[in-house]
Amino acid sequence: ISSVGAGSCLETLEKGKPLVIVINEKLMNNHQLELAKQLHRDGHVLYCNCSTLVETLQSMDLSTLKPFPPGQPEKFALFLDKVVGFQ
């Protein structure tokens, strides 16, 4: 169970752990909802808010979650090399 901070979510998912993320609806116009919805649409997390956390925990089926694909930082490095003219 975690907040919807991008770092917290990605760290947990990269370790192959199931994740339930809890949105803080009062934080910066509810910007966390975008990330939560996308990760949920992709099948990687369950999400809720504080008022629905207990219900979510009671009804969740973690076997429906898909593994998060491993990162590919080398692709970004190649892109960056091209942009700055190293390639």
Side-chain angles (χ1 to χ4, degrees):
I1 299 172
S2 177
S3 68
V4 192
S8 300
C9 290
L10 293 177
E11 238 182 84
T12 303
L13 292 171
E14 287 172 350
K15 291 185 186 319
K17 304 292 183 183
L19 181 59
V20 175
I21 46 183
V22 182
I23 299 163
N24 180 349
E25 295 172 316
K26 296 178 183 178
L27 190 61
M28 296 176 73
N29 297 325
N30 204 10
H31 73 282
Q32 296 179 339
L33 187 57
E34 250 182 272
L35 177 59
K37 281 185 174 181
Q38 187 61 54
L39 289 172
H40 179 73
R41 272 193 296 267
D42 293 343
H44 303 301
V45 303
L46 299 173
Y47 75 95
C48 61
N49 58 37
C50 291
S51 62
T52 60
L53 176 59
V54 172
E55 179 184 330
T56 300
L57 294 174
Q58 290 172 338
S59 65
M60 69 184 180
D61 180 1
L62 298 177
S63 70
T64 63
L65 298 178
K66 298 177 187 173
F68 192 73
Q72 297 177 330
E74 62 280 354
K75 285 187 176 182
F76 179 70
L78 288 172
F79 169 77
L80 204 54
D81 284 350
K82 287 180 186 176
V83 169
V84 296
F86 292 142
Q87 265 191 358

